[in-house]
Amino acid sequence: MKKLVLTALALVMLIGCTNQRPRGIRNCEFYLADMKTIEREMTYAKVEMLIDATNPNGVEVIIDRMIFDLYANGQKIGSGATSFLQSIPPGESVKLKGKMSIDYVSGIMSMWNMLHSSSVSYSLGARVYYETPLGNYYRHSTISSAGFTFPNLMPDFD
């Protein structure tokens, strides 16, 4: 009987630890407004991103932090994390500034891949940590993405 009670208690605690979005709360909408280089080093560059965040909810939402990932043609070329603790009132938008490092070697490998595949694609995503009056949670959001194809520019050596 004691084991059954302990098992039930452990199960209830695990269910409480799941990362569920609170009912009635929608994810914020994010758009990349600007990106600029703020530092150049031998192997990487640091960029600052200006992100427009809109709260579509009827309650205040706090963006606690974001963990960024930048992919070019499916290859990760940049990452970063920023703490915000930025409150967004219901139905309003705010500008968030985040930082990310872009690795030159990964970027060059991605460009080589682009030449061989005759296509370019990128995706800037973030794991966003939210605080709301109804509970805390996190979700992955795509902030910006695009892609296109072009004629093959590589010489044919056959």
Side-chain angles (χ1 to χ4, degrees), residues 10-72:
L11 185 61
V12 168
M13 289 175 58
L14 283 175
I15 290 171
C17 292
T18 61
N19 184 42
Q20 297 289 324
R21 180 177 57 211
R23 246 175 230 229
I25 296 292
R26 294 182 304 197
N27 294 333
C28 290
E29 299 163 0
F30 301 100
Y31 303 98
L32 183 63
D34 192 22
M35 183 183 278
K36 64 181 178 182
T37 305
I38 56 173
E39 181 181 338
R40 290 183 181 95
E41 295 296 330
M42 197 71 137
T43 59
Y44 68 92
K46 280 195 180 180
V47 296
E48 182 177 74
M49 302 167 292
L50 187 62
I51 299 167
D52 185 33
T54 302
N55 178 5
N57 298 292
V59 296
E60 174 185 65
V61 171
I62 296 173
I63 304 297
D64 181 32
R65 65 189 185 278
M66 289 183 175
I67 299 173
F68 301 102
D69 290 313
L70 177 63
Y71 290 87

Side-chain angles (χ1 to χ4, degrees), residues 120-142:
V120 176
S121 66
Y122 83 92
S123 176
L124 173 62
R127 191 170 186 176
V128 183
Y129 292 81
Y130 294 94
E131 293 181 19
T132 73
L134 303 175
N136 301 342
Y137 71 103
Y138 65 86
R139 282 290 181 264
H140 185 272
S141 294
T142 299

Side-chain angles (χ1 to χ4, degrees), residues 1-10:
M1 181 67 171
K2 195 175 191 179
K3 284 184 182 181
L4 183 62
V5 171
L6 288 175
T7 304
L9 182 61

